[in-house]
Amino acid sequence: MALGPQYCKQLREELRMHANFPPNRPIALGDYGVLRDHIFERLGNVSQLGVHLQTIPGAGRSTFQFKSKGGVDFQLIAKGEVEPGGVPAVRAALELKFSRENAVFFAAAGCTVDAVDDLLALQAAIVSLMGQGRWESDFYVVTQTVRAAKTTAIASADQDSEIRLEASSPALAAIRLADAALDLEVKRSRHTALEIVTEDSQIPLFQLARLRGMFKDELRPESNAASAAFAFLPDPDTEPFPVTPMQPDLAMEPESAAFLDLQFEGLAPSFDVQRGINAYLPLLRASYDFAHGNENPALPPGFTELGRVVVQQEAMLESAPFEPAVQAALANDFRALAQEAPPVAMEGVALESIAKPEAFGFVVREEATGAVIVSIRGTLTPEEWVKNFTAIPNPWNEVPGFGVVHLGFEQMWRRIRASVFAALDGVPTGTRITFLGHSLGGAMATLGAVDVNKNLGRTGVDLCTFGSPRTGKVRFRVNFNRLISNAFRVTNSRDIVPHVPSVLTAWNHVGLQIEVHSKVANAHSLESYLEGLRNIGDTREIQPGGAPSLESVASGPIRGARTL
């Protein structure tokens, strides 16, 4: 295989991003084209087809580094020199030796990731172009670009290639490839086929998406391995698991096509839009008001308080011997729910001030029916959390064997668990209990619904979430949908939170999706979801072709679309 395809193939397999070849070739968000021998061949930009993109600028800095396995040996050395006047100096050097043809050494420092903001809008535009005969099924579109402050890419021409790179600064004692200010120069090279050395402001990596899937109307990222894991802990969902009475026919690999395509049995339940408008969203608003210091916020008419969802003192003191990286990720998720006081500013953005960070919501009874609702707030300012999101898979402790869940969400649910259980203690057996949550509170509500069903023996448990992230992996999703048959997750087409953690790392949504649309600036806010419910049934809804799937269902006037 030639150098270009080998270079792109190796980086794609290891970094899970497409490689730009050559690395200094111009490329931009919205570029479209075809893949030939692992190389993206640009045909144009969607703007030339009348599609205008909104983009999300990158934040933070990261480093990508790769060397071909068994093909590259490198050594960092410091060489003493004598400057004029007899003053000794030290110049760092990097020597690379390649033991086979087309071996690659790649490093990109000071990287930021820019992305297309509204993938569903781009999807709708591409579907329209295809219907007009202006888009082919094998076209790909660039949806993310990685811009590097410094890029070093070297490839061998044969098995005896070598190169020596020296730091341009004579006083530099060591080379740190993660340093975006580093400058290198080629001192000596032999039999190298590619030399891109510390070039400024290149786009060496990018992500592609194309229309694919069962219905051929879903814009989905191109991936070599949907089960690739970028997490701290081992992921049992990638291994076979034993058959139990709870799952009699699931003795298969969780990532197999048959497992991923398991569907609901019977008719899909109906989503009550008016109940969402008149009860669910007002209860969530009261939960936020409670956290903002209002001890007695107004509940919607016809509901009586049974208890308050609060963090117990012993749960606030809970600690665990996690690795530092895991602790940092958990702290980030706790900040998103404003459980830390005082509020912390991240990159100049102040988190929303919450007077009572231990307050999360209410357990209420509907007087007319006797039904009970557990309402759990999240956060109205999720952007910084999403940018820094780290998904940590962990076997769920509260219900062993049920599946892998996000460790941070499990910890959050555990903090309020005692107050919810206490409020439900006097509720008669057989009472319908609906867990209700917004944002990260939706993830907590998802875990709570299963916990109450399995550990309190309450079989009549329902779920409704608004803007919830994915909570568990494949086995959790399958077990949840068999246990909780009446579960809805309302998503806004412009909301970023339902898209994390990534489906490409096998995180899954539960229940049936109800997609809404609104023009409210903050697509994640309760106001945006209220307008979206009021707009149900308008012509902007995306209608899938074919039968409804697990994450896409028609319910009354509602048309669903998969959320990746």
Side-chain angles (χ1 to χ4, degrees):
M1 187 181 292
L3 171 62
Q6 275 280 7
Y7 174 87
C8 293
K9 180 176 183 291
Q10 291 181 60
L11 264 64
R12 177 61 182 157
E13 290 176 347
E14 294 297 325
L15 301 180
R16 307 298 176 186
M17 298 286 287
H18 285 279
N20 196 9
F21 188 83
N24 56 359
R25 180 184 58 164
I27 197 166
L29 292 175
D31 283 356
Y32 70 92
V34 295
L35 275 178
R36 301 191 192 280
D37 290 332
H38 305 283
I39 297 177
F40 176 65
E41 296 183 4
R42 182 185 182 276
L43 299 177
N45 193 278
V46 294
S47 62
Q48 299 166 317
L49 303 177
V51 180
H52 302 288
L53 299 177
Q54 297 292 326
T55 62
I56 305 173
R61 300 276 178 172
S62 58
T63 300
F64 294 85
Q65 186 171 323
F66 164 77
K67 68 183 183 74
S68 298
K69 295 178 181 178
V72 183
D73 292 321
F74 65 91
Q75 181 180 10
L76 288 167
I77 59 175
K79 184 179 79 170
E81 293 182 343
V82 178
E83 295 289 321
V87 179
V90 175
R91 183 187 297 271
L94 176 65
E95 289 189 345
L96 297 99
K97 295 183 178 181
F98 299 85
S99 58
R100 60 181 172 83
E101 182 183 3
N102 292 333
V104 173
F105 176 84
F106 172 85
C111 298
T112 57
V113 180
D114 297 333
V116 173
D117 186 16
D118 193 342
L119 288 176
L120 288 178
L122 178 58
Q123 170 184 298
I126 291 176
V127 169
S128 177
L129 289 171
M130 180 172 280
Q132 301 168 28
R134 303 170 64 195
W135 191 272
E136 299 296 332
S137 60
D138 62 346
F139 281 2
Y140 291 81
V141 61
V142 177
T143 55
Q144 290 183 0
T145 57
V146 176
R147 182 171 296 278
K150 299 290 182 180
T151 302
T152 301
I154 304 166
S156 62
D158 58 36
Q159 62 182 6
D160 193 26
S161 302
E162 63 179 16
I163 189 169
R164 179 188 177 94
L165 308 175
E166 289 190 357
S168 59
S169 171
L172 194 64
I175 292 177
R176 296 179 178 86
L177 291 169
D179 183 0
L182 177 69
D183 282 320
L184 296 175
E185 56 187 20
V186 178
K187 190 70 174 180
R188 181 185 73 250
S189 67
R190 184 179 65 176
H191 301 163
T192 55
L194 172 68
E195 295 180 7
I196 302 290
V197 179
T198 55
E199 294 289 329
D200 295 337
S201 192
Q202 304 293 335
I203 299 180
L205 302 169
F206 57 92
Q207 187 60 275
L208 295 174
R210 67 182 175 94
L211 292 179
R212 56 202 300 235
M214 291 177 61
F215 308 129
K216 283 197 173 183
D217 61 354
E218 299 166 3
L219 189 65
R220 301 175 64 181
E222 175 70 10
S223 174
N224 281 348
S227 61
F230 305 95
F232 297 104
L233 304 180
D235 181 5
D237 270 10
T238 61
E239 301 295 333
F241 56 94
V243 179
T244 69
M246 182 175 62
Q247 46 200 47
D249 59 343
L250 300 185
M252 61 183 80
E253 290 283 349
E255 303 309 323
S256 68
F259 196 100
L260 291 169
D261 289 337
L262 284 171
Q263 303 291 313
F264 284 109
E265 296 180 0
L267 297 176
S270 297
F271 177 70
D272 190 338
V273 175
Q274 291 306 311
R275 187 172 181 80
I277 293 173
N278 298 324
Y280 293 163
L281 290 177
L283 282 170
L284 288 170
R285 171 53 59 198
S287 299
Y288 279 105
D289 290 344
F290 181 29
H292 286 297
N294 186 348
E295 288 290 338
N296 296 291
L299 300 177
F303 288 88
T304 303
E305 179 184 325
L306 295 181
R308 302 197 165 193
V309 180
V310 295
V311 175
Q312 301 296 305
Q313 187 63 30
E314 58 270 21
M316 288 285 285
L317 299 176
E318 180 186 71
S319 63
F322 296 122
E323 294 294 324
V326 177
Q327 291 177 1
L330 291 175
N332 175 65
D333 290 345
F334 292 142
R335 272 201 303 274
L337 279 171
Q339 288 184 247
E340 294 185 357
V344 179
M346 294 189 295
E347 298 184 9
V349 179
L351 290 179
E352 193 172 347
S353 176
I354 293 184
K356 292 175 64 66
E358 74 278 6
F360 277 86
F362 296 93
V363 179
V364 299
R365 175 187 286 116
E366 186 177 27
E367 297 300 329
T369 64
V372 170
I373 298 178
V374 180
S375 174
I376 307 174
R377 70 163 176 89
T379 174
L380 288 176
T381 55
E383 288 80 8
E384 288 300 321
W385 168 69
V386 169
K387 288 178 184 176
N388 297 290
F389 190 89
T390 304
I392 308 169
N394 193 62
W396 191 16
N397 293 291
E398 274 66 46
V399 187
F402 201 83
V404 167
V405 300
H406 185 292
L407 178 61
F409 300 161
E410 178 187 4
Q411 293 263 306
M412 293 174 190
W413 162 246
R414 192 178 298 162
R415 291 184 172 201
I416 64 172
R417 184 177 189 249
S419 66
V420 174
F421 277 33
L424 296 176
D425 186 52
V427 174
T429 302
T431 300
R432 176 187 176 189
I433 301 172
T434 299
F435 273 79
L436 173 66
H438 171 245
S439 186
L440 277 73
M444 299 161 74
T446 300
L447 295 175
V450 177
D451 198 354
V452 165
N453 182 298
K454 300 295 289 185
N455 291 316
L456 290 186
R458 301 304 184 100
T459 57
V461 180
D462 302 334
L463 175 71
C464 182
T465 64
F466 292 81
S468 174
R470 297 182 177 91
T471 305
K473 293 214 172 185
V474 178
R475 190 197 322 186
F476 176 83
R477 182 259 286 177
V478 172
N479 286 333
F480 181 98
N481 289 335
R482 289 189 165 183
L483 184 70
I484 310 293
S485 59
N486 198 27
F488 299 99
R489 52 182 185 88
V490 185
T491 65
N492 191 324
S493 59
R494 296 183 296 111
D495 190 355
I496 58 177
V497 174
H499 295 272
V500 294
S502 173
V503 73
L504 296 181
T505 48
W507 293 96
N508 275 218
H509 276 304
V510 300
L512 302 174
Q513 179 189 4
I514 307 300
E515 186 180 52
V516 299
H517 303 265
S518 81
K519 296 181 179 179
V520 175
N522 183 353
H524 190 62
S525 68
L526 295 183
E527 288 75 14
S528 182
Y529 277 96
L530 177 60
E531 179 181 295
L533 288 183
R534 288 171 174 166
N535 289 339
I536 283 290
D538 69 18
T539 57
R540 293 175 298 173
E541 300 287 344
I542 300 174
Q543 183 176 12
S549 71
L550 183 66
E551 295 189 13
S552 174
V553 65
S555 179
I558 302 164
R559 301 181 178 95
R562 290 177 67 92
T563 301
L564 294 177

